[in-house]
Amino acid sequence: MKIKSIKAYHVVQPFVDGPYRMSKGRVADAFDAVIVAITSDSGITGWGEMAPLGNFYSPAFPAGTRAGVVEIAPYLIGQDPRGLAGIGRLMDTVFKGHPYIKSALDMACWDLAARAADVPLVTLLGGRESETAELYKVVTHGTVDQMAALAKRIVGQGFHRLQVKVGGNVRDDIERVSAVADAVPNGTVIFCDANAGWTPYQARQFADATRAVDYTFEQPCTTIDENMSVRRSLDKPMVLDESVASLDDMLDIHRKGAADGLTLKISRLGGVTKTRQIRDLAVDLGFMITVEDTGGAEIDTAAMAHLSLSTPEERRLHAIAFHEWVTVRTASNMPPVTGSSMGIPDGPGLGIDVVPDLLGKPFFEIG
């Protein structure tokens, strides 16, 4: 089997709930996605998707993805899409760095390989560990009253896991988190996510003032060493996200004992191949794991679901349903969400049925 053609689409995906706000005035109105279709000489098509969260969240930006896909795609024509490790090495050889650009291409090859084998992607990723994964919802940055009201509304919808955005003015965030905790029932799982917005000094101030609140601290500072300095005096679990950009990063976190859990973003790591590699080793090393991405709709959410449900249940934290964040549709047979849990679609590969007419005209095509 050989890759015969590649198409790439640009799809802007506005948020259902309006602007997504983080600390320090960081805000986005939509995911700006690149969707890739890779078709083999046997007529099977695999799909991949990558969408940065604005230009501010990670070292990735939408225009860079579009430009990079055009550079890499010609080298993939004629390659066997099932040779996933070889595809990854080839992309790293012809295009140094920029793993986020390679993510959708890698994902499409995984989808194609699973469809060619007539099995769900979860089977190739190690097998299905449970029927569904628990979902969390985000309490975006806002005033104390806004955040408490949003948290209460989310719990009223049946969700039990909240990611509360912090990382701004420390004293204000102490009030915000305390108000959120007071607004939701005991037993609600709370993650306080600063998105690397604080210095160690600020993070310790926050942690000391919120000792009475039950939460997991997520990525308070930028570097692994900064987070480790906070962890030494912390009486709560810590999860790192932005610090995990490679296998070396994960191993460094393990050696230093800098975290109890990791959030693995598919595009930050360069695709499904490297995410699976890092996830499997991290599980064996004892980390708790969340697998998600920086954004996207049905295609990317399906990949997240397959990776989540092939993660051992006792090592899985939670998942997120990005396709419910956006106003546009790109596929049918989307990942099923029931209450506060998400499964995977029935069918081979990612299981979804992409509708090309919903994507518009390709901005790039070869083959």
Side-chain angles (χ1 to χ4, degrees):
M1 181 185 292
K2 305 295 182 184
I3 294 174
K4 182 178 180 180
S5 66
I6 300 174
K7 296 180 181 179
Y9 303 82
H10 177 210
V11 182
V12 177
Q13 304 162 346
F15 295 139
V16 170
D17 294 326
Y20 180 86
R21 301 184 186 280
M22 296 164 58
S23 61
K24 299 185 176 179
R26 293 175 287 179
V27 60
D29 297 310
F31 291 136
D32 194 339
V34 166
I35 292 175
V36 169
I38 296 181
T39 302
S40 71
D41 54 6
S42 58
I44 301 172
T45 298
W47 294 89
E49 179 177 25
M50 187 274 163
L53 180 59
N55 295 325
F56 54 79
Y57 175 65
S58 62
F61 69 108
T65 308
R66 296 192 293 273
V69 165
V70 172
E71 295 291 326
I72 296 171
Y75 292 96
L76 303 185
I77 299 297
Q79 301 296 319
D80 187 339
R82 299 165 301 180
L84 296 154
I87 290 285
R89 289 193 297 271
L90 175 61
M91 289 195 290
D92 288 343
T93 298
V94 302
F95 202 95
K96 191 74 170 177
H98 304 277
Y100 68 98
I101 292 172
K102 303 161 189 174
S103 183
L105 294 163
D106 175 82
M107 187 184 296
C109 287
W110 274 93
D111 184 32
L112 201 164
R115 290 177 189 271
D118 197 29
V119 297
L121 179 58
V122 70
T123 302
L124 299 188
L125 295 174
R128 190 168 186 161
E129 295 280 345
S130 64
E131 289 302 307
T132 60
E134 280 295 304
L135 295 170
Y136 73 88
K137 287 271 193 172
V138 179
V139 180
T140 57
H141 217 243
T143 67
V144 172
D145 290 343
Q146 287 171 339
M147 292 180 71
L150 177 55
K152 190 172 183 178
R153 186 165 71 249
I154 290 170
V155 170
Q157 295 168 349
F159 290 86
H160 313 289
R161 307 181 72 88
L162 303 176
Q163 185 191 75
V164 181
K165 291 299 183 184
V166 293
N169 179 279
V170 175
R171 295 301 170 190
D172 291 344
D173 277 342
I174 291 167
E175 288 188 50
R176 291 178 176 110
V177 169
S178 299
V180 166
D182 289 342
V184 300
N186 290 335
T188 302
V189 176
I190 297 174
F191 280 58
C192 290
D193 184 10
N195 291 115
W198 279 330
T199 64
Y201 180 88
Q202 293 169 312
R204 279 191 284 271
Q205 281 184 306
F206 176 85
D208 185 61
T210 55
R211 288 184 184 275
V213 181
D214 183 12
Y215 66 88
T216 295
F217 212 175
E218 185 166 359
Q219 194 75 40
C221 308
T222 301
T223 70
I224 294 171
D225 286 340
E226 286 173 337
N227 286 299
M228 185 63 212
S229 74
V230 174
R231 180 168 165 79
R232 290 191 183 100
S233 59
L234 190 66
D235 63 349
K236 302 181 185 302
M238 182 176 284
V239 168
L240 293 183
D241 178 347
E242 286 88 343
S243 287
V244 191
S246 67
L247 176 61
D248 285 344
D249 288 338
M250 187 276 287
L251 293 173
D252 191 28
I253 291 166
H254 172 67
R255 282 191 297 267
K256 293 174 177 174
D260 305 288
L262 306 173
T263 298
L264 306 180
K265 296 263 195 315
I266 298 171
S267 61
R268 181 184 293 139
L269 298 174
V272 174
T273 301
K274 292 180 179 177
T275 302
R276 184 208 178 175
Q277 177 194 49
I278 293 169
R279 179 207 59 183
D280 288 349
L281 183 53
V283 164
D284 288 344
L285 292 174
F287 287 108
M288 299 296 291
I289 299 294
T290 298
V291 180
E292 56 183 41
D293 211 342
T294 53
E298 290 89 356
I299 300 168
D300 204 36
T301 303
M304 292 187 287
H306 283 271
L307 279 159
S308 293
L309 290 178
S310 55
T311 302
E313 192 168 12
E314 66 272 16
R315 290 294 177 188
R316 185 193 313 141
L317 284 169
H318 43 215
I320 193 162
F322 274 150
H323 65 299
E324 294 197 331
W325 285 35
V326 298
T327 62
V328 300
R329 298 274 68 88
T330 59
S332 59
N333 200 31
M334 62 190 70
V337 174
T338 304
S340 62
S341 61
M342 179 171 67
I344 55 177
D346 291 331
L350 291 171
I352 54 169
D353 299 314
V354 177
V355 182
D357 288 347
L358 297 177
L359 307 181
K361 184 180 179 181
F363 70 84
F364 171 78
E365 185 171 359
I366 188 171

